[in-house]
Amino acid sequence: MTPYDFIATWGKGGSRDAENERQGAQAYFIDLCELLGVPKPGSEPGYIFEQRSETLGQARGFADVFYRGRFAWENKAPGKSLDDALTQLQRYSLALENPPLLVVCDRHVIHIYTQFNGHPSEQHSIYIQNLNEPAFQARLRDVWLDPECFRPRQTNRDITEKAAKSFATLADGLRKRGPQESPQKEQYAEQIAHFLTQTLFCFFAEDVGLLPGRMFEKIVSNRQMSSQQLTQTLQTLMTTMRDGGVFGADMLPWFNGGLFKRVNVPKLEITDITELRNAARL
């Protein structure tokens, strides 16, 4: 199986491109193994097609390919949702001994997701049209032969420490520009602490989709806004979160509880915005 043969068979408009998931899944995977020169399912214990799995709640399902200690793989037909395929694998993952890699594929693209303990998850994508290049073949071959090379360099602890440093620097800068005499000093310090708690919650809210389209990160990363405009935009955003309603082109839900009952964003300078951007990237 040469790269040309593989792409001509399984690429867009190829001779087997129109096959459904059941027709094409195993044949595609075997051809891919042939192309890469890696072992095929059944060649050793713990490496099989359609590994049966129990998930939480006793629901049962199958991982299309399972290679113990290396990966679980889910195939879809072209055009089907790979997000659904990933969700499916994540449900099976605990019962499959938490392989370090989860791979989803619609035959045109292969997405590789890492799940090493203590590290953030990363995504790597390889498109079928690139498989005629040795570098892409080598990267994909590592899924079978060296999954450890996908381990992210940063640990969750590294990221947490960097984010904490950005928040500390931001808090320190804001405090130094505020009043230095009591009781105004204490009141301003409380205002800053409340704003930073709201900010941290906004990062969480966009991660879980309550703030759509990574809204908060995009706002603080917008370099066309002045510091005054950014301060006012964050004030408007948090006020909208408090009451629910329209923000830009999006409808935001009502965030109940007391966190946004009081919204008073301190005046942000460029150094503050830089630290907010650093935290957003993390």
Side-chain angles (χ1 to χ4, degrees):
M1 178 64 66
T2 67
Y4 176 83
D5 294 333
F6 186 82
I7 295 170
T9 301
W10 298 106
K12 291 182 179 179
S15 60
R16 302 189 67 174
D17 185 38
E19 293 185 2
N20 63 33
E21 181 179 328
R22 173 59 63 180
Q23 291 170 327
Q26 293 191 10
Y28 175 93
F29 193 87
I30 290 171
D31 280 356
L32 187 61
C33 291
E34 290 275 2
L35 170 65
L36 299 174
V38 296
K40 299 174 187 176
S43 60
E44 59 182 87
Y47 180 26
I48 59 174
F49 283 121
E50 296 195 335
Q51 171 64 51
R52 191 173 182 86
S53 166
E54 285 193 13
T55 61
L56 296 179
Q58 303 303 309
R60 289 181 179 271
F62 296 88
D64 286 339
V65 191
F66 174 65
Y67 199 167
R68 180 171 288 113
R70 305 191 186 208
F71 62 79
W73 185 299
E74 189 68 25
N75 288 300
K76 294 293 181 184
K80 299 296 183 180
S81 173
L82 291 183
D83 289 339
D84 290 347
L86 178 61
T87 300
Q88 193 173 330
L89 276 185
Q90 288 170 332
R91 288 203 309 267
Y92 302 158
S93 184
L94 280 175
L96 294 175
E97 305 170 33
N98 277 328
L101 303 178
L102 299 180
V103 185
V104 295
C105 170
D106 69 357
R107 306 205 292 261
H108 293 165
V109 61
I110 300 168
H111 295 314
I112 305 158
Y113 295 90
T114 65
Q115 54 168 13
F116 291 91
N117 289 337
H119 294 266
S121 181
E122 292 183 348
Q123 176 186 337
H124 305 267
S125 299
I126 296 176
Y127 292 84
I128 188 172
Q129 62 265 29
N130 296 132
L131 287 176
N132 58 357
E133 300 180 32
F136 286 97
Q137 293 179 35
R139 186 59 168 159
L140 187 54
R141 193 177 290 115
D142 285 334
V143 172
W144 281 261
L145 304 182
D146 188 17
E148 184 65 25
C149 76
F150 287 92
R151 183 184 292 272
R153 294 183 179 180
Q154 287 196 109
T155 66
N156 291 337
R157 179 174 179 176
D158 294 334
I159 294 172
T160 301
E161 289 177 349
K162 289 179 180 179
K165 183 177 180 180
S166 287
F167 271 93
T169 303
L170 173 59
D172 189 53
L174 288 170
R175 280 198 301 267
K176 286 179 179 177
R177 290 199 307 274
Q180 301 302 310
E181 302 294 331
S182 298
Q184 292 84 0
K185 179 178 180 180
E186 287 78 10
Q187 292 172 348
Y188 185 63
E190 196 279 332
Q191 176 189 350
I192 293 169
H194 192 67
F195 166 68
L196 293 179
T197 303
Q198 291 170 325
T199 297
L200 189 61
F201 181 84
C202 286
F203 287 143
F204 161 76
E206 68 177 7
D207 279 348
V208 298
L210 292 173
L211 289 180
R214 304 207 63 80
M215 177 183 289
F216 193 82
E217 181 179 353
K218 289 178 180 177
I219 291 172
V220 300
S221 299
N222 187 341
R223 298 181 181 274
Q224 295 182 329
M225 282 197 286
S226 66
S227 58
Q228 182 177 356
Q229 288 171 324
L230 178 60
T231 302
Q232 184 56 52
T233 300
L234 292 181
Q235 180 79 22
T236 304
L237 171 65
M238 292 180 181
T239 301
T240 307
M241 294 171 70
R242 178 189 65 198
D243 302 325
V246 176
F247 180 84
D250 296 295
M251 177 66 72
L252 301 188
W254 165 53
F255 288 80
N256 61 354
L259 183 58
F260 294 100
K261 185 176 182 179
R262 176 166 48 86
V263 178
N264 188 8
V265 177
K267 186 176 183 298
L268 300 171
E269 302 293 350
I270 187 62
T271 53
D272 309 320
I273 297 169
T274 297
E275 295 304 332
L276 272 177
R277 288 172 181 159
N278 289 340
R281 282 195 295 269
L282 293 166

